[in-house]
Amino acid sequence: MGSLSTHVLDTASGRPAQGLRIELYRNNSLVKEAVTNADGRCDAPLLNEGEFESGSYELRFYAGDYLRQSGTKLMEPAFLDVIPIVFGMAEGQGHYHVPLLLSPYGYSTYRGS
């Protein structure tokens, strides 16, 4: 069966993004909420092997809240507040890893390993 994980790096500070709230949705329904730890990762996979289903998913990263709490001065409204990443998971086997590289004015993501 498959699984899903993520981690967030604050590229502006060069550190993992600790305390960033994440929500996972499947078919527009909230599946799980998590907060990143000191390593910028969730303490457990967002989806374990038994929870995995092929389909479309959305991760919502609450970047604006994290950046404000970390002391970053933001314009109001913030350029990036909630970052949605919509992606598909088609394989029934394997691991999906969706990292986020974050700064106050940009982000990137990819399918990691």
Side-chain angles (χ1 to χ4, degrees), residues 2 7 24 32 38-40 45 54 56 61 71 76 78 82 85 100-102 106 109 111 113:
H7 77 273
L24 174 66
K32 192 169 280 186
D39 195 33
S54 295
S56 294
F61 296 89
E76 291 299 335
V82 178
I85 298 175
L100 180 70
L101 306 176
L102 169 67
T109 190
R111 181 178 175 184
S113 58

Side-chain angles (χ1 to χ4, degrees), residues 37-59:
N37 61 23
D39 195 33
R41 299 176 185 274
C42 301
D43 289 331
L46 292 169
L47 290 177
N48 291 308
E49 291 183 14
E51 301 169 311
F52 182 92
E53 293 180 29
S54 295
S56 294
Y57 289 81
E58 178 180 354
L59 282 169

Side-chain angles (χ1 to χ4, degrees), residues 57-109:
Y57 289 81
E58 178 180 354
L59 282 169
R60 293 182 190 170
F61 296 89
Y62 286 81
D65 293 343
Y66 159 77
L67 290 166
R68 287 181 195 94
Q69 291 169 0
S70 69
T72 303
K73 294 282 188 185
L74 299 177
M75 304 284 283
E76 291 299 335
F79 181 70
L80 296 174
D81 193 13
V82 178
I83 298 172
I85 298 175
V86 179
F87 59 98
M89 295 195 306
E91 301 169 4
Q93 303 289 328
H95 176 70
Y96 282 78
H97 184 68
V98 183
L100 180 70
L101 306 176
L102 169 67
S103 76
Y105 297 100
Y107 67 92
S108 64
T109 190

